[in-house]
Amino acid sequence: MPEAPPVRMVHLGIGNFHRAHQAWYTANAPDAAEWGIAGFTSRRPDMAEQLAPQDGLYTLITRGGTGDDFTLIGSLAAVHPSTDHAAYLDYLRRSEVAVVTITVTEVGYLAGSDGSLDRTNDAVQADIAALRDDSQAPVTSIPAKLVAGLLARRSAEGGPISILSCDNLPENGALAAAVVRDLAADVDNSLLGWIDQNVDFATSMVDRITPATSPEDRVLVARTQGYEDASPVPTEPFSEWVISGKFPAGRPAWDESGARIVDDVTPYEQRKLWLLNGSHSLLAYAGSIRGHATIDEAIADPECRSWVEEFWTEAGRNLILGTEAAATYTSALVDRFGNLRVRHQLSQIAPDGSRKLPIRILPTLRAERAAGRMPVGCATAIAAWILHLRGKGAPVKDPGAEAASAAAADPDLNRAVEGVLRTLDGDLPSDTDLVETVRDRVNLLMESP
């Protein structure tokens, strides 16, 4: 069994993706023995309850086309529930803790449509009040947790630190910086100068399809490896990580374990968000409407495949990296999506479309309309989401979709389309040709067998 390395990183939002991606890259770095991770769960403590008795050890099941590879990962030195705020602050006070990584999904940053902190959010308001009263008070939102940690670090003279976002968001480091700075200004304005001098907000693009753990995965590990693992992680062979940051307090040698360190993540993040995540959303809604449960089932459906390829053509010709890079990437995506042994559930991808579609679909839609083209693939994705909001296909799990759901419920389809488009971008309903195209795609999907 690998020994737990000393804690030099903290991770917020520990789940399967972090364990298949950042923790895996760290475990494979040549200096892994020096870089342990203290992981904190999101709201539910399940992961801590499963991993703490195992000293943070877990099995990564890499599912290739012909078989499984099993790797015991030991980079998690400690695992805590999100409620263990005292432990979190203790780590942030330590000068040897050099990096905080984050995987909290798009909604976890609590940003408004303009990219600034959503100060109307109840959790944000409660956390600001709590930190004003006591800088060590327990808080629940990610922006407040980061500010609380930075307050503790400044007080302890812990020195510089990097905050590295690993979520599927464009310019995720800049977004993390914006919400942290906004909340810091409301709690203790003097912290802003310290942040400018000591905090590096790094950016990254992350790519590895990682489904949820099933009971069968646990049985498989016990049968083939001869030990019990309460929380193994299934994932695909492909993995990519592109990072941009200064890391003033140091970082693991991720570049020697396969990560790419660059000056600008944008071209890679754009490629991944538009081509992989955009088609994932399209398949989550359209595929589930057609009765499919997983990505491999949906991409094997010729109708779904044609819609995805239509969308890929539209997105690919607007990428910074160009159409050739898009073609190479989407060719690999066909194989990745078709991996029968990964079984990525559409219901796992479908939540929070109100936050995902503006990032994954709208950039291509706007670029195509500006070029005078009608983006039928984008229209299909939006049409499928409208039907999803009307109760078709995967269940709706989207706290931010209240207005969109109300609009989608309008019995007049034209008004429903206009209303949903308005929630995505207030200018879209004035594009009558786009409204007509989305409406036609809704009708097409409703006729779908």
Side-chain angles (χ1 to χ4, degrees):
M1 292 289 182
E3 293 186 10
V7 172
R8 296 193 62 197
M9 292 189 292
V10 169
H11 182 77
L12 300 179
I14 188 169
N16 276 18
F17 182 76
H18 166 71
R19 294 190 293 142
H21 199 271
Q22 299 95 48
W24 176 79
Y25 276 97
T26 302
N28 282 283
D31 54 355
E34 304 169 23
W35 289 93
I37 303 167
F40 287 80
T41 65
S42 295
R43 293 188 181 276
R44 294 176 56 182
D46 308 41
M47 194 66 66
E49 293 169 353
Q50 292 168 352
L51 289 176
Q54 301 177 182
D55 296 325
L57 294 167
Y58 63 92
T59 310
L60 189 71
I61 309 171
T62 304
R63 296 224 146 107
T66 58
D68 294 328
D69 180 69
F70 301 88
T71 307
L72 191 63
I73 304 294
S75 52
L76 283 176
V79 187
H80 303 268
S82 62
T83 51
D84 196 349
H85 194 62
Y88 166 68
L89 294 183
D90 178 63
Y91 288 125
L92 268 289
R93 292 186 185 103
R94 303 179 191 178
S95 59
E96 67 268 23
V97 170
V99 183
V100 176
T101 55
I102 315 167
T103 50
V104 293
T105 76
E106 295 89 341
V107 299
Y109 293 78
L110 298 177
S113 58
D114 62 353
S116 63
L117 181 70
D118 180 7
R119 290 180 170 90
T120 67
N121 183 277
D122 290 344
V124 168
Q125 293 179 355
D127 285 346
I128 290 172
L131 290 177
R132 282 175 176 169
D133 186 57
D134 177 4
S135 65
Q136 299 182 56
V139 290
T140 61
S141 70
I142 289 300
K145 283 183 179 291
L146 292 170
V147 168
L150 296 179
L151 285 167
R153 193 172 186 86
R154 180 182 68 168
S155 179
E157 299 183 357
I161 194 168
S162 288
I163 294 174
L164 174 59
S165 173
C166 303
D167 283 298
N168 287 320
L169 289 160
E171 299 182 1
N172 48 30
L175 180 63
V179 296
V180 166
R181 290 181 61 83
D182 286 348
L183 198 139
D186 288 354
V187 170
D188 180 352
N189 194 62
S190 71
L191 184 62
L192 293 176
W194 186 88
I195 288 174
D196 290 340
Q197 294 296 316
N198 292 278
V199 184
D200 166 43
F201 289 94
T203 299
S204 74
M205 183 283 294
V206 296
D207 190 354
R208 194 171 206 181
I209 296 171
T210 305
T213 302
S214 70
E216 291 75 20
D217 294 326
R218 300 182 182 93
V219 171
L220 178 67
V221 170
R223 178 171 56 81
T224 61
Q225 305 305 298
Y227 57 80
E228 299 291 331
D229 186 345
S231 190
V233 181
T235 194
E236 65 169 336
F238 179 92
S239 183
E240 187 176 23
W241 196 11
V242 183
I243 305 168
S244 175
K246 298 176 181 176
F247 299 97
R251 61 166 174 80
W254 288 318
D255 47 323
E256 296 186 46
S257 59
R260 182 181 302 184
I261 310 299
V262 300
D263 292 330
D264 184 9
V265 171
T266 302
Y268 306 95
E269 131 195 305
Q270 183 192 71
R271 180 196 62 185
K272 193 258 181 169
L273 285 170
W274 295 7
L275 298 179
L276 188 153
N277 297 119
S279 58
H280 256 185
S281 288
L282 194 165
L283 290 172
Y285 305 128
S288 62
I289 288 168
R290 287 178 62 82
H292 304 304
T294 59
I295 284 289
D296 59 280
E297 289 178 9
I299 200 66
D301 179 338
E303 200 72 57
C304 289
R305 172 76 174 267
S306 70
W307 295 334
V308 165
E309 290 179 341
E310 198 166 34
F311 171 72
W312 280 343
T313 297
E314 295 163 3
R317 60 185 167 221
N318 293 289
L319 287 179
I320 295 169
L321 291 175
T323 55
E324 186 175 341
T328 300
Y329 188 74
T330 54
S331 177
L333 281 182
V334 171
D335 292 335
R336 294 170 65 191
F337 287 1
N339 187 336
L340 299 175
R341 309 187 67 256
V342 172
R343 309 294 290 166
H344 200 185
Q345 298 291 318
L346 300 180
S347 60
Q348 184 185 349
I349 301 165
D352 298 317
S354 63
R355 300 302 299 266
K356 292 175 178 176
L357 265 64
I359 296 166
R360 302 177 176 190
I361 304 298
L362 291 196
T364 295
L365 184 149
R366 293 189 184 105
E368 288 292 281
R369 293 306 284 143
R373 295 186 289 264
M374 179 55 66
V376 176
C378 296
T380 304
I382 293 171
W385 185 54
I386 291 171
L387 287 172
H388 165 73
L389 295 175
R390 293 175 78 139
K392 305 295 184 183
V396 178
K397 296 179 181 178
D398 190 348
E402 185 175 341
S405 294
D410 193 315
D412 183 295
L413 183 55
N414 215 62
R415 287 199 305 263
V417 169
E418 290 178 348
V420 172
L421 288 174
R422 188 173 291 109
T423 69
L424 294 172
D425 181 334
D427 293 333
L428 292 181
S430 63
D431 186 341
T432 55
D433 289 340
L434 176 65
V435 171
E436 181 179 351
T437 301
V438 174
R439 186 196 64 215
D440 289 347
R441 304 309 282 182
V442 170
N443 285 326
L444 175 69
L445 285 160
M446 287 173 65
E447 297 167 1
S448 181

